[in-house]
Amino acid sequence: MLKKTLLLSAIAATCCVNAGGQNYPKLGTDPIDEVINAMTLDEKLDMVIGAAGIDTDEKATIGNSSELVPGAAGQTNAIPRLGIPAIIMADGPAGVRIDPTREGTDKTFYCTHFPVATVVSSTWNTELAGQIGQAMGDETSHYGIDVLLAPATNIMRNPLNGRNYEYYSEDPLLAGKISVAVVNGIQSNGVGTSLKHFALNNQETNRTSNNVVGSPRTFREIYLKPFEIVVKETQPWTVMTSYNRINGTMASERADLVTEILRHEWGFNGMVVSDWFGGQYATAQMEAGNDLIMPGKTAQREELKRSIVNGHISMEIIDRNIRHILEFIMRTPTFKGHKADNNPDLKAHALITRNAATEGMVLLKNDGGALPLAGGTRKVAVFGRTSYDFIAGGTGSGNVNHAYVVSLTEGLGNAGLRIDRKVQKAYLDYIPKAKAALDKGKKERDRFLPEKLIDEMELPQDMLDKAAKGNDMAIITIGKTSGESMERNVSDNFNLTPAELKMVEGVCGAFHKAGKKVVVILNVCGPVETETWTSMPDAILCVWLPGQEGGNSVADVLTGKECPSGRLPMTWVKRYADVCNKADFPMPDEISEDLINKALAAFKDKRTEGTVRNFDYTEYNEGVYVGYRYYTTKGVSVAYPFGYGLSYTTFEQGRPEVSVNADGDITVRTTVKNTGGMAGKDVVQVYVSAPGKDMDKPARELKGFAKTRKLAPGETQTVEIKIPYVSLASFNEKDSQWQVESGEYKVMVASDAADMAPMTVTVSEKGRVTERVRPCLLKEMK
Ligand code: BGC
């Protein structure tokens, strides 16, 4: 009865104002409640459902449904009579993704392709992450966009996830702290962010239906933690819910996630938006507190209208969500009358991306000081298809329509090196032909899937021998990319292909015979297997997907203009079989076309009964033992641990002074001295080993980190790292509370997660419950 009355008053609201409109309440001038009260039912639906008006049940796809800014992911509906403008949202985590050209004008609208998120977290430098965010937000503003759909802070649970390149780390603290900096940087321009994908979107396979099965402790301590850090330390304007189910229910349809945890526990005061086409029932999404459904389907609108008219959902819920949307709209540049000038300073941003990318590069191996290149190096032979066709970023919504990508050979050329012409010509002949052959076999469905890479070309022995004779050294690039909708394969993406291995072997053989060095550049979307070939080259530099200035950035590190200071934000295992959750993650090589089609049909019919393991559902059986938490606890030896990275210079970290205040907060002070011959930066990593009493604990967990400034040879910096008492708490799910166990805590300053001889100080802490919360995300919940 109440619902019907509210509905009638909403409809009646429009009759009370004059047809000219001057008496309508206006957003920003009149109280929000008056604006909401003046809305017709259709206008209310306009508010909560995006403007795309798509009438399709097609699977979730990459968004570009904005009419106002071509290529932007989507926009909301305007209600001019109430002073409500349409708001525009665009991807994504490596820069603004909009169409670079528009009909009727020769002007271009390119955006800077910044280093992908993995590069940003590899810097371990929150200040730098903030600068990158600042530049991204500046472009967002210049192109007239209100919200950049970034950052994406899902945990890298398994190295095969196709979207890991958009994410920051396997560790919640590192992912959270870097995300805070990125949000602050972007939002300092007066535009918004969308912290995504909330939560537990850790696989792409069957992503719009996959049911994540796990325990509240696992979810809260690991997967929700980076989101919690961001929401508590800064306020992103929006949070984007994820596609997957959690213990049986769609993330966007879970009130315990988007209202209880996000708003009540963490204090989020922005707008919750769905991922594009995500969720099954608009009504359930509204009830849960998912304020805005994007990009907006007519079927969702009709469903919600039926629910309202039939009294299946109360108008208070709809109005609550509209209030969140309107409060958000009032913050936007569009609402404030900001006009796009479409003229960002792309040159300045190119410099920012060039410099930032160098700091995220991780030097994995450097035998005999192979790097930086010796002063006399002039001529280099460059191998590997991606040396000539460098990969700036990944595919899907995390891609950016950049104006150019500096290839490695261009970068080396710009740094004054001479590239072997014969080798270069062979690649420049081979690459277009191989690409054309690959395109021929492309199926229609492949349009949505990550780009396939051509394989390496055969390198005749006499070409190798001549190159070894005529050059000072060799550089090989291994390239791997990935993207939305699909995981990486083990066979040719995590592992090197036989052709790539043959290339490494052939080049190293010929050049070493001639007494020359070989450097391998990893232009990759995530960890690759290195165990079988790591002994061959003299140096290995992981440059990830470093953005559009890639070649220049790599050259800056190779030549020693910049000293590498990146550290791995995830573990590199020796072989895929060592991965902590390999049994509970899809093996893309085993997912058949038939299975995918069945899943798409089930999603369309809103069916949930699938029973295929790691496809319909995925069990997080490893619990909190994700990444290094597993490898260090179980004593699994890895290729390169979390936190690992070499430098051209050397540092000495002093014995840490550790103090605990009355509240139990820990402060770690240590000195870092550059003891080598080159200016560079170091990273201080503090791990804590907690006593396991009520709960079992990983052998160590990162609890704090800091990056030094660039230290000149001989220079020392004192670093102070604070570890709040509450951050020592684990989640006791039996009593649904965060609690710190009493006892001895080992505070370790370590060079990486596997450092066997960290500098350790033991402190004792009193036990205490730090927070009691409502039981959420339980397994039984349907
Ligand atoms: C992705 C989101 C993205 C959205 C809009 C979805 O497919 O999961 O990350 O922001 O599309 O393009």
Side-chain angles (χ1 to χ4, degrees):
M1 185 59 202
L2 172 72
K3 283 167 197 152
K4 284 249 160 87
T5 318
L6 282 168
L7 173 63
L8 290 177
S9 63
I11 295 166
T14 53
C15 313
C16 308
V17 284
N18 74 34
Q22 57 270 42
N23 287 346
Y24 297 135
K26 292 272 185 296
L27 186 65
T29 311
D30 297 297
I32 283 191
D33 284 343
E34 277 181 32
V35 178
I36 298 175
N37 286 340
M39 287 179 185
T40 64
L41 177 58
D42 276 320
E43 284 171 338
K44 291 194 173 185
L45 293 168
D46 278 347
M47 279 289 89
V48 294
I49 295 188
I54 294 173
D55 198 4
T56 167
D57 271 319
E58 95 186 51
K59 72 183 168 94
T61 186
I62 297 155
N64 60 346
S65 62
S66 168
E67 282 174 356
L68 294 171
V69 176
Q75 68 190 49
T76 59
N77 288 297
I79 309 180
R81 75 178 186 101
L82 302 175
I84 303 172
I87 296 308
I88 303 154
M89 305 180 186
D91 291 303
V96 182
R97 186 177 63 86
I98 54 173
D99 289 346
T101 53
R102 289 180 193 170
E103 268 177 35
T105 172
D106 290 341
K107 186 178 162 40
T108 56
F109 302 82
Y110 285 109
C111 298
T112 306
H113 203 145
F114 291 94
V116 302
T118 305
V119 180
V120 183
S121 52
S122 298
T123 67
W124 293 59
N125 184 341
T126 50
E127 201 181 313
L128 187 66
Q131 284 162 14
I132 299 169
Q134 204 283 332
M136 284 185 196
D138 179 70
E139 278 183 35
T140 309
S141 167
H142 277 281
Y143 280 124
I145 288 149
D146 297 290
V147 175
L148 188 68
L149 300 171
T153 197
N154 296 94
I155 289 290
M156 295 171 174
R157 174 173 178 255
N158 179 293
L160 299 188
N161 179 8
R163 292 186 86 173
N164 274 350
Y165 80 91
E166 292 186 61
Y167 303 149
Y168 294 106
S169 180
E170 71 185 19
D171 180 81
L173 182 77
L174 181 61
K177 292 287 182 185
I178 296 282
S179 300
V180 169
V182 172
V183 167
N184 286 340
I186 296 171
Q187 293 193 168
S188 68
N189 295 277
V191 296
T193 53
S194 198
L195 184 68
K196 64 188 188 182
H197 308 90
F198 189 58
L200 289 139
N201 185 173
N202 304 107
Q203 76 178 51
E204 287 300 289
T205 308
N206 196 23
R207 65 176 177 167
T208 51
S209 274
N210 177 258
N211 182 24
V212 172
V213 181
S215 71
R217 176 179 179 200
T218 305
F219 294 163
R220 284 179 177 271
E221 280 188 26
I222 306 291
Y223 297 94
L224 265 55
K225 201 52 155 188
F227 292 92
E228 180 182 350
I229 292 173
V230 179
V231 172
K232 285 185 171 169
E233 291 189 18
T234 181
Q235 280 280 355
W237 287 12
T238 80
V239 167
M240 185 191 291
T241 50
S242 58
Y243 285 134
N244 50 286
R245 293 169 213 277
I246 302 172
N247 283 335
T249 306
M250 289 280 172
S252 60
E253 300 176 9
R254 292 197 72 115
D256 58 355
L257 182 72
V258 293
T259 296
E260 180 57 27
I261 293 180
L262 182 64
R263 288 194 190 276
H264 298 164
E265 279 186 29
W266 299 349
F268 177 63
N269 66 15
M271 173 180 80
V272 179
V273 52
S274 75
D275 197 350
W276 269 228
F277 302 100
Q280 278 192 318
Y281 294 102
T283 312
Q285 290 176 296
M286 285 293 111
E287 292 263 11
N290 190 116
D291 304 308
L292 174 66
I293 300 178
M294 287 300 282
K297 292 199 286 186
T298 34
Q300 290 166 321
R301 199 185 161 95
E302 281 158 14
E303 179 214 305
L304 196 55
K305 194 168 188 172
R306 272 196 307 276
S307 296
I308 296 174
V309 171
N310 296 334
H312 291 148
I313 184 169
S314 83
M315 197 61 102
E316 280 105 325
I317 298 270
I318 304 292
D319 289 352
R320 172 198 69 181
N321 297 357
I322 293 177
R323 193 169 301 110
H324 295 149
I325 296 171
L326 293 180
E327 281 164 359
F328 149 76
I329 289 178
M330 284 170 64
R331 302 163 102 170
T332 59
T334 296
F335 181 79
K336 292 180 177 162
H338 169 83
K339 293 270 173 290
D341 68 3
N342 294 314
N343 211 8
D345 191 346
L346 294 177
K347 279 214 172 101
H349 293 173
L351 205 62
I352 290 179
T353 179
R354 174 178 181 161
N355 293 338
T358 59
E359 199 165 328
M361 295 179 181
V362 186
L363 184 62
L364 297 176
K365 173 178 179 179
N366 195 17
D367 278 4
L371 288 176
L373 301 182
T377 310
R378 285 283 158 267
K379 286 190 71 186
V380 288
V382 183
F383 299 91
R385 66 199 193 281
T386 40
S387 294
Y388 300 88
D389 191 12
F390 216 62
I391 312 171
T395 59
S397 62
N399 200 358
V400 178
N401 293 312
H402 45 245
Y404 64 87
V405 177
V406 178
S407 71
L408 180 64
T409 42
E410 283 167 326
L412 294 172
N414 294 342
L417 292 158
R418 285 198 351 248
I419 313 293
D420 185 294
R421 290 274 175 79
K422 285 216 173 82
V423 176
Q424 180 170 31
K425 183 171 181 320
Y427 276 102
L428 295 182
D429 287 346
Y430 165 77
I431 292 169
K433 281 191 208 137
K435 276 191 170 174
L438 200 70
D439 282 346
K440 251 188 173 171
K442 246 190 187 165
K443 286 185 265 155
E444 180 57 13
R445 219 174 67 79
D446 290 354
R447 280 192 307 118
F448 296 112
L449 299 178
E451 202 187 329
K452 281 207 175 92
L453 289 175
I454 56 169
D455 206 352
E456 286 302 337
M457 67 177 191
E458 289 272 337
L459 297 171
Q461 192 59 45
D462 70 316
M463 181 206 244
L464 290 174
D465 292 339
K466 276 192 195 136
K469 206 163 154 223
N471 291 283
D472 299 324
M473 65 171 305
I475 295 177
I476 305 172
T477 306
I478 303 287
K480 304 283 177 197
T481 189
S482 69
E484 215 169 327
S485 307
M486 211 171 151
E487 326 297 356
R488 305 167 64 196
N489 281 332
V490 175
S491 54
D492 63 3
N493 199 311
F494 182 80
N495 289 345
L496 267 50
T497 64
E500 285 167 333
L501 284 172
K502 211 165 147 200
M503 167 175 72
V504 175
E505 207 171 355
V507 173
C508 290
F511 276 74
H512 286 163
K513 207 160 94 195
K516 316 260 170 89
K517 294 198 166 53
V518 180
V519 174
V520 169
I521 305 293
L522 294 175
N523 179 200
V524 292
C525 52
V528 292
E529 189 273 343
T530 51
E531 200 57 11
T532 47
W533 58 271
T534 192
S535 61
M536 296 180 202
D538 303 276
I540 306 174
L541 179 69
C542 175
V543 306
W544 309 114
L545 308 178
Q548 68 182 41
E549 285 282 322
N552 284 334
S553 309
V554 178
D556 287 344
V557 174
L558 292 182
T559 56
K561 190 175 157 224
E562 293 295 339
C563 180
S565 64
R567 302 283 187 271
L568 293 178
M570 84 299 272
T571 309
W572 287 38
V573 290
K574 287 192 171 163
R575 55 195 80 78
Y576 184 73
D578 291 342
V579 170
C580 55
N581 46 33
K582 62 178 181 301
D584 292 308
F585 194 82
M587 287 294 280
D589 318 60
E590 291 164 13
I591 305 291
S592 69
E593 190 83 5
D594 186 39
L595 197 58
I596 294 172
N597 289 334
K598 273 191 191 141
L600 292 179
F603 183 68
K604 194 171 157 206
D605 302 342
K606 304 190 192 297
R607 278 184 279 123
T608 59
E609 76 276 18
T611 54
V612 181
R613 187 187 174 87
N614 299 335
F615 186 83
D616 293 310
Y617 69 96
T618 302
E619 291 175 315
Y620 283 31
N621 286 321
E622 74 278 17
V624 297
Y625 296 88
V626 182
Y628 73 86
R629 285 171 167 73
Y630 173 85
Y631 306 112
T632 53
T633 309
K634 304 278 174 200
V636 178
S637 122
V638 300
Y640 299 107
F642 172 85
Y644 174 88
L646 303 173
S647 172
Y648 294 159
T649 187
T650 49
F651 296 96
E652 203 179 276
Q653 296 189 359
R655 267 216 79 71
E657 281 169 30
V658 180
S659 59
V660 185
N661 70 11
D663 296 329
D665 302 327
I666 300 173
T667 302
V668 181
R669 273 168 72 91
T670 186
T671 53
V672 181
K673 182 173 184 192
N674 184 345
T675 50
M678 190 173 176
K681 300 181 182 180
D682 195 17
V683 177
V684 179
Q685 304 172 33
V686 182
Y687 297 84
V688 170
S689 169
K693 285 185 178 165
D694 288 357
M695 289 167 277
D696 56 305
K697 300 283 171 80
R700 59 175 76 168
E701 296 186 277
L702 185 75
K703 290 293 172 192
F705 65 91
K707 185 129 196 191
T708 66
R709 61 173 183 269
K710 193 181 255 185
L711 298 174
E715 200 187 345
T716 301
Q717 183 181 344
T718 303
V719 171
E720 195 174 274
I721 294 168
K722 299 235 183 254
I723 305 174
Y725 178 77
V726 287
S727 75
L728 300 174
S730 295
F731 190 71
N732 175 343
E733 55 189 44
K734 184 167 62 63
D735 302 317
S736 198
Q737 63 193 23
W738 288 95
Q739 74 184 58
V740 176
E741 308 253 40
S742 65
E744 309 266 273
Y745 283 72
K746 278 192 212 146
V747 179
M748 296 173 271
V749 176
S751 55
D752 56 55
D755 183 354
M756 295 309 281
M759 288 183 285
T760 306
V761 177
T762 304
V763 297
S764 64
E765 291 281 7
K766 290 198 185 87
R768 183 158 61 82
V769 173
T770 53
E771 191 183 0
R772 282 205 172 81
V773 294
R774 292 214 175 130
C776 291
L777 307 174
L778 302 180
K779 277 199 182 162
E780 300 75 46
M781 182 160 164
K782 276 272 171 253

